[in-house]
Amino acid sequence: SAVISQKPSRDICQRGTSLTIQCQVDSQVTMMFWYRQQPGQSLTLIATANQGSEATYESGFVIDKFPISRPNLTFSTLTVSNMSPEDSSIYLCSVLRRGGDIQYFGAGTRLSVL
Amino acid sequence: AQTVTQSQPEMSVQEAETVTLSCTYDTSESDYYLFWYKQPPSRQMILVIRQEAYKQQNATENRFSVNFQKAAKSFSLKISDSQLGDAAMYFCAYRSGLLNTNAGKSTFGDGTTLTVKP
């Protein structure tokens, strides 16, 4: 299994500010993803984090709002910019190992925007 | 685009009894995987069981088993001898194989909240 450290585990932020979430994996992985889980709902894919290049965003998500970095094979960050109460969600980092068929998840970051 | 449907928002089962959670999916891909994840209140996503689409044999993991009907695009989860610790939200998930355009991406159903009664 892959050990994923996601920080912070939770935060309460003011409207208009930004928060950066970090995801650190204990070994090299081929693919890293960021998901959003709104209260009481399912997981929605935000983007695929690509090493050394721009992330690939899903429909409805844009780089200006959710900038993502992945400087190496084991680390990625997701920033939630110019936050509003509608951004209150759980944000999850997820990874696939090389050749693996199992997707691992971090413990998530619970974000509340006031 | 792939879709995953869980038609049971809530289910309950008596402790030690058996319960089946339903999941259907839609795809035009031939290379894919199916998963059931458990999410307790701690919100950590825990893999329960996985099924490779190319395998005809249904996956089994201790008290958990699936009924994979590929032609019908159905993937149900059976939990036998239910325990109090099984209470959680269960998500059915579809993941595209690495040879596909959507390589590695997962689509999740809306979830089924399972309650286990003592």
Side-chain angles (χ1 to χ4, degrees), chain A residues 101, chain B residues 30 32-33 50-59 68-70:
Chain A
D101 61 349
Chain B
S30 59
Y32 58 90
Y33 300 86
R50 73 179 188 272
Q51 174 80 45
E52 292 89 343
Y54 62 86
K55 289 186 177 179
Q56 293 185 341
Q57 186 173 4
N58 289 326
F68 175 44
Q69 301 291 325
K70 190 172 184 178

Side-chain angles (χ1 to χ4, degrees), chain A residues 9 31 33 35 37 41-43 45 48 58 90 96 100-103 105-108 110, chain B residues 33 35 37 39 41-45 47 50 52 91 95 98 103-106 108-110:
Chain A
S9 60
M31 303 186 81
F33 306 94
Y35 287 84
Q37 185 178 23
Q41 297 188 24
S42 186
L43 283 72
L45 180 62
T48 303
E58 298 300 307
I90 296 171
L96 275 178
D101 61 349
I102 298 175
Q103 187 168 4
F105 289 86
R110 184 182 295 274
Chain B
Y33 300 86
F35 302 86
Y37 286 92
Q39 188 180 43
S42 67
R43 74 176 179 265
Q44 176 71 58
M45 293 287 285
L47 176 65
R50 73 179 188 272
E52 292 89 343
F91 289 99
R95 185 166 68 76
L98 297 182
K105 295 181 181 180
S106 292
F108 290 80
D110 288 338

Side-chain angles (χ1 to χ4, degrees), chain A residues 16-20 36 46-47 54-58 60-69 77-84 87 91:
Chain A
T17 62
S18 298
L19 175 71
T20 295
R36 182 175 73 182
I46 297 172
E54 189 173 293
T56 304
Y57 290 85
E58 298 300 307
F61 297 96
V62 296
I63 188 171
D64 289 347
K65 177 66 176 178
F66 297 101
I68 289 171
S69 76
T77 65
L78 166 73
T79 299
V80 185
S81 303
N82 188 25
M83 288 183 285
S84 66
D87 294 320
Y91 293 86

Side-chain angles (χ1 to χ4, degrees), chain B residues 54-104:
Chain B
Y54 62 86
K55 289 186 177 179
Q56 293 185 341
Q57 186 173 4
N58 289 326
T60 298
E61 195 72 41
N62 299 317
R63 297 183 294 109
F64 300 88
S65 62
V66 299
N67 183 4
F68 175 44
Q69 301 291 325
K70 190 172 184 178
K73 295 179 181 174
S74 171
F75 183 61
S76 62
L77 173 70
K78 185 172 79 171
I79 306 175
S80 303
D81 185 24
S82 296
Q83 301 175 0
L84 295 177
D86 294 333
M89 175 79 86
Y90 285 80
F91 289 99
C92 178
Y94 170 104
R95 185 166 68 76
S96 295
L98 297 182
L99 299 178
N100 295 317
T101 302
N102 294 316

